[in-house]
Structures are given as C-alpha cells and as structure tokens.
C-alpha cells in the first residue's frame, strides 16, 4: 500500500481478482456483434428487474414498464439533479442515505469503504452541480478490471512503468484509479494536476515512465517543459482523460515524443465508457458494461456520423446505485463501420464537448448567434505562445481569457488570437460580433476534478 493510501485509510482493491475479471472482459473483444448484443440485453434486463425490486424510486417509475416488457426507449430519463434530490430512494440499500455518503466523503478517511461495503465517489462539480455515487465491492472490482482491460487495449502491458496524474481529491474517480494502481507499482510518485510543475518535472525525470495518463491540459504543459529541456522523459504512450482531447495535443505529442495519445471517455457515474484501441480510429464503447444512447433534442437515436444533442448512459454492473438512462450533455458523434482491430464494439468518432459550452449572444444587427466553444478552441490552439484559454459569452460577442507561455510577447499572441477568433466567427457566418480579449496570468482549475474549464 502506498503512502497516500495509508494516510487516507485506503484499502487497495484485490488486483489479482481484478486481473482475472479483466481477462474475462478482454475475451469479450473476440465475440461477434450478435453475441455482444445478446449479452448486453440480458445484463440490461437483470439490472432493470433488480432496480424495480430494490429501489423505491425505480419501483415507482419503471416497475410497471419492467413487468410489461415495454421498450427501453419508453423508460424515464435520469438527471444529476433528480438523482441527488431523490438519492435516498434511488439507492438499492436503505442504509445508504445522501447525508451518510456526504459525511463519509467529507471525513478524514474517505478512502475507506462505507459500511465496510461501498466505495464512495464524488463528481468534481465542473458542470455546476456536485454528484455522489456509490459502488458495492463487486461493482468496484468490475470498474477496476475495466481499467485494466482498457489499458491492454491501448497497448499498455503489465511490465511497463506507468503513472497517472489526476485530481487531488481523494473521492474523485481519477484519484481512486491512480491510487489503486500505484499500490502495485513501488516507487511510482504521487502527483496531481494541481502539483507545481517543477515538482512534476522532477518526479517524472526520476521515475522515467513508459506511459503517462494525464489531462490534455497537463500533457500540453509537459510538452512545453520537454521542449525547453527541463523535462527529459521518453514515454511510449500517453493516455488522455477527464478533459476533451483537442487535436493539437495529439499532434504536439507526436512532434515532441513521437508517441501516440490514446483517448478515453470516463465519468464518475459510469467508470470508463470508451477508449481508443491500438489503431486510434475511434473510442470503443465498453458495451458489455454500459449502454450508451446518442440521441437528438427529442431523445430519438441519431445515426452514426450525426452529432447527438445528448447522451444517455445506463450502467449494467452497478446494482448499489442504479444509473439508468442518465443524461450527459456531451455532444457525441458515433463512428460508422468496423475498426481494423475486429472488436465488436461500436465506436465514438468525436466528442465536441458539452451542451453547456455553447456561447449564445446577439450581434450588432440584433440577430441571435450561437457557437460551440470547441469550434474556437480547435482553431485557436494553433497560435504559438498560448498556454491556457477560456471563453465566455458577452451580450454582443465573445470574451477570450488568455494566458501565454513565459517569454512570449503577450500583446503579439493576443492580437493573433483575437484576429483568428474574428475570422472563425466570420467563416461560420456570424457577422457583427464583438471579440474582446483579456490577458491573464493563469486560469485556475475548478472543482474536485481540478479540470480546466473551457467556458467560464
């Protein structure tokens, strides 16, 4: 057990058991599509029956639908606010209450199992509302096993020296994952995305990881340190997590380290939902563990190649806190066709961001304009000298907060960013919009997940 585990009273997961489960999950990659869908259907039916029998909330809301065998599309949608408001009735163990879980995650030993059975995780609150989630022992073992399975899919082998740098909060999912795996890697340093960059650089130089799992915003910063000669590591692979992966980060890592970046799609509510395989041709959805519905504004499924308005997730393995048709505001496009690897899973082609990241304003002509912040981000990151950025809507345009790299002429970088943003708006047919620039020393990470928020 590593030092931070002892200090937090964190019982490490049974990695031998998780390894065996991971092998079983990995074998599902050899199934046919038909066998996978049959397995998923059986797991979904078992979950729905369990929820209707053991959760007062689901007994009322889906009990009749389950007994009548109604189509899944007729089942109600769950939001974070509704789940938090009805938490005590949603859980399948009446000993669990929101107050009890809140007290546990706020205690000085949040890494221990609540009631000796439940792993408690809290969302970072980056979308404006904090969420609380629990996994029983079996569910948490599956969550960790899935982490091992997805590592293998991206090309990570047990003999590789790996390191994860995530959130500083001991009840955040990335903290939990990294703490569990540090326990099996003696000498791996304990680092967080909020650690001083000088500390991260020194620790990485000493440890020399073969692969690195980190937020894209931190990967970009590490590339800057490597280019400057302060960081001297040679990872074979990077894994991206927590934040949307901008195309420039992949290009930057290839340029600096000649290494690939495997993207991942993970949430506190679900564990790892999707991950790139060795071909990096779209993230494979772990459909044996989660059912994802990419839908339009009227909650109708959208075809591959069409961006959805939201995504609904159902977790097939967590019986402690059933998560059924849970509303994520992520803007997802599914990939068409099969991956060269031959696995039977559907793939995510692109995640542009969240619906909350749309900027809406009126132009000088009085017309209402709308642009997703990602449209700006993917263009502006090409400007040399940018370290951090954030967007906000004004009454008549957009505000760009900008932090530049040390030694760069801030005015020159700022002018280039402002001019490019104006061209992007023009290219999108948005005329008469004001672009305002605010130069700042830095943009703070927010919430328990310590993410960089693109819209603030």
């Amino acid at each position: 057990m590593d030092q931070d585990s002892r200090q937090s009273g964190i019982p490490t997961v049974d990695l031998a058991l998780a390894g065996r489960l991971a092998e079983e999950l990995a074998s599902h990659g050899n199934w046919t599509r038909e066998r996978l869908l049959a397995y998923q259907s059986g797991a979904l039916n078992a979950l729905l029956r369990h929820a209707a029998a053991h959760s007062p909330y689901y007994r009322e809301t889906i009990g009749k639908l389950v007994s009548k065998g109604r189509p899944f599309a007729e089942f109600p949608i769950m939001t974070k606010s509704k789940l938090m408001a009805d938490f005590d009735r949603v859980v399948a163990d009446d000993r669990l209450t929101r107050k009890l879980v809140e007290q546990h995650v706020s205690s000085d030993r949040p890494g221990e199992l609540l009631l000796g059975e439940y792993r408690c995780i809290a969302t970072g609150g980056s979308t404006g509302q904090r969420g609380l989630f629990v996994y029983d022992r079996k569910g948490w073992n599956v969550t960790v096993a899935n982490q091992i399975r997805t590592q293998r899919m991206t090309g990570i082998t047990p003999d590789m020296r790996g390191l994860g740098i995530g959130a500083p909060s001991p009840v955040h999912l990335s903290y939990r994952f990294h703490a569990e795996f540090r326990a099996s890697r003696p000498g791996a340093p304990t680092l967080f995305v909020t650690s001083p960059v000088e500390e991260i650089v020194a620790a990485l130089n000493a440890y020399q990881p073969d692969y690195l799992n980190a937020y894209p915003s931190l990967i970009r910063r590490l590339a800057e340190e490597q280019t400057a000669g302060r960081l001297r590591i040679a990872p074979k692979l990077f894994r991206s997590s927590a934040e949307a992966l901008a195309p420039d980060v992949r290009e930057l890592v290839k340029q600096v380290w000649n290494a690939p970046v495997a993207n991942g799609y993970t949430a506190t509510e679900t564990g790892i939902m999707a991950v790139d395989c060795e071909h990096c041709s779209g993230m494979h959805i772990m459909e044996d563990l989660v059912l994802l519905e990419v839908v339009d504004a009227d909650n109708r499924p959208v075809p591959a190649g069409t961006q959805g308005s939201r995504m609904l997730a159902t977790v097939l393995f967590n019986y402690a806190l059933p998560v059924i048709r849970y509303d994520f505001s992520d803007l997802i496009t599914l990939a068409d066709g099969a991956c060269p690897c031959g696995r039977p899973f559907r793939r995510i082609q692109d995640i542009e961001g969240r619906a909350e990241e749309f900027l809406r304003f009126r132009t000088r002509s009085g017309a209402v304009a709308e642009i997703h912040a990602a449209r700006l981000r993917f263009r502006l990151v090409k400007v040399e000298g940018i370290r951090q950025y954030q967007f906000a809507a004004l009454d008549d345009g957009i505000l760009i907060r900008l932090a530049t790299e040390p030694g760069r002429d801030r005015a020159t970088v700022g002018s280039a960013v402002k001019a490019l943003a104006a061209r992007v708006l023009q290219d999108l047919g948005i005329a008469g919009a004001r672009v305002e620039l605010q130069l700042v020393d830095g943009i703070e990470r927010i919430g328990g997940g310590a993410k960089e928020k693109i819209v603030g």
Side-chain angles (χ1 to χ4, degrees):
M1 187 177 296
D2 59 8
Q3 183 178 5
D4 62 315
S5 296
R6 291 194 301 270
Q7 291 173 345
S8 302
I10 300 170
T12 53
V13 74
D14 184 344
L15 288 178
L17 172 60
R20 292 193 295 272
L21 289 172
E23 291 297 324
E24 179 182 340
L25 292 175
S27 71
H28 297 177
N30 299 319
W31 286 354
T32 63
R33 179 74 183 160
E34 292 72 22
R35 183 177 179 184
L36 173 64
L37 291 178
Y39 178 91
Q40 184 188 68
S41 177
L44 175 62
N45 289 333
L47 171 73
L48 297 178
R49 290 194 299 271
H50 171 84
H54 298 280
S55 161
Y57 173 86
Y58 284 117
R59 184 178 303 120
E60 293 179 8
T61 57
I62 70 172
K64 291 182 179 179
L65 296 172
V66 173
S67 63
K68 294 180 179 179
R70 299 303 302 168
F72 192 51
E74 296 182 10
F75 282 59
I77 292 172
M78 172 67 78
T79 63
K80 183 188 289 187
S81 58
K82 179 176 285 294
L83 189 150
M84 288 300 97
D86 291 319
F87 186 93
D88 294 3
R89 300 177 64 250
V90 173
V91 290
D93 183 340
D94 58 14
R95 296 177 300 165
L96 291 171
T97 65
R98 179 174 176 177
K99 181 179 180 180
L100 181 65
V101 176
E102 282 277 17
Q103 290 174 341
H104 183 73
V105 300
S106 301
S107 71
D108 58 355
R109 301 181 73 85
E112 293 183 348
L113 298 181
L114 177 62
L115 302 175
E117 297 181 36
Y118 296 106
R119 167 68 64 213
C120 298
I121 307 291
T123 61
S126 58
T127 58
Q129 182 178 19
R130 185 167 180 257
L132 298 170
F133 296 87
V134 295
Y135 293 82
D136 59 19
R137 284 180 180 270
K138 182 178 180 180
W140 185 247
N141 279 333
V142 171
T143 302
V144 175
N146 190 37
Q147 165 82 337
I148 298 172
R149 185 246 303 251
T150 58
Q151 285 183 332
R152 303 294 183 269
M153 287 178 63
T154 58
I156 296 172
T157 57
D159 60 313
M160 294 174 69
R161 290 168 63 84
L163 184 67
I165 305 177
S169 169
V171 293
H172 190 266
L173 189 67
S174 66
Y175 182 108
R176 296 273 11 109
F177 274 161
H178 300 329
E180 302 287 10
F181 283 93
R182 275 195 303 272
S184 66
R185 291 172 171 82
T190 300
L191 298 170
F192 308 113
V193 292
T194 53
S195 301
V197 68
E198 297 81 6
E199 178 184 333
I200 295 175
V201 166
L204 291 180
N205 283 338
Y207 186 62
Q208 289 296 313
D210 294 320
Y211 73 88
L212 191 61
N213 187 334
Y215 294 9
S217 56
L218 179 60
I219 294 174
R220 185 184 285 112
R221 184 69 189 278
L222 294 178
E224 176 188 320
E225 294 294 311
Q226 183 89 6
T227 301
R230 292 181 290 269
L231 181 63
R232 298 174 298 279
I233 58 175
K236 301 179 180 69
L237 172 70
F238 284 79
R239 282 193 68 176
S240 168
S241 60
E243 301 167 347
L245 176 62
D248 76 296
V249 174
R250 272 198 163 123
E251 296 169 8
L252 190 60
V253 169
K254 184 176 182 179
Q255 175 186 341
V256 174
W257 287 287
N258 193 30
V261 180
N263 199 7
Y265 184 33
T266 303
T268 304
E269 298 90 332
T270 62
I272 298 174
M273 290 184 280
V275 69
D276 275 329
C277 72
E278 61 273 19
H279 294 279
C280 291
S281 62
M283 290 182 284
H284 292 262
I285 301 171
M286 303 293 94
E287 295 179 277
D288 49 356
L289 298 181
V290 294
L291 189 160
L292 303 189
E293 303 170 75
V294 180
V295 299
D296 62 17
D298 296 317
N299 298 319
R300 297 172 302 192
V302 300
T306 299
Q307 185 182 87
S309 297
R310 61 168 56 90
M311 186 275 289
L312 309 177
T314 299
V315 181
L316 303 175
F317 63 92
N318 187 2
Y319 279 29
L321 179 66
V323 174
I324 300 170
R325 305 200 82 198
Y326 185 88
D327 188 353
F328 284 90
S329 58
D330 298 330
L331 306 176
I332 292 175
T333 302
L334 293 173
D336 200 5
C339 179
C341 74
R343 293 182 178 92
F345 309 113
R346 286 188 306 166
R347 290 169 296 133
I348 293 175
Q349 173 182 306
D350 183 55
I351 303 177
E352 185 168 87
R354 293 180 177 274
E356 294 88 355
E357 294 170 351
F358 273 103
L359 303 170
R360 298 176 177 87
F361 53 90
R362 288 188 179 274
T363 64
R364 284 191 288 270
S365 66
V368 176
E370 180 179 87
I371 180 175
H372 196 276
R375 296 288 184 90
L376 293 163
R377 173 182 60 186
F378 292 160
R379 293 280 294 277
L380 297 188
V381 292
K382 300 290 187 179
V383 178
E384 292 187 5
I386 291 179
R387 169 171 283 180
Q388 293 174 293
Y389 50 87
Q390 189 179 68
F391 307 102
L394 302 172
D395 291 339
D396 57 352
I398 61 170
L399 169 69
I400 303 174
R401 299 185 183 94
L402 177 68
T404 60
E405 295 175 357
R408 295 280 186 171
D409 183 82
R410 299 175 72 186
T412 300
V413 177
S415 295
V417 165
K418 188 172 181 178
L420 182 55
R423 288 200 299 273
V424 171
L425 293 175
Q426 185 176 358
D427 291 345
L428 293 172
I430 301 174
R434 179 163 64 102
V435 178
E436 184 175 317
L437 185 72
Q438 181 183 6
L439 294 172
V440 297
D441 293 331
I443 297 171
E444 291 186 2
R445 296 178 178 273
I446 64 167
K451 300 177 184 178
E452 284 192 355
K453 193 174 184 181
I454 186 175
V455 173

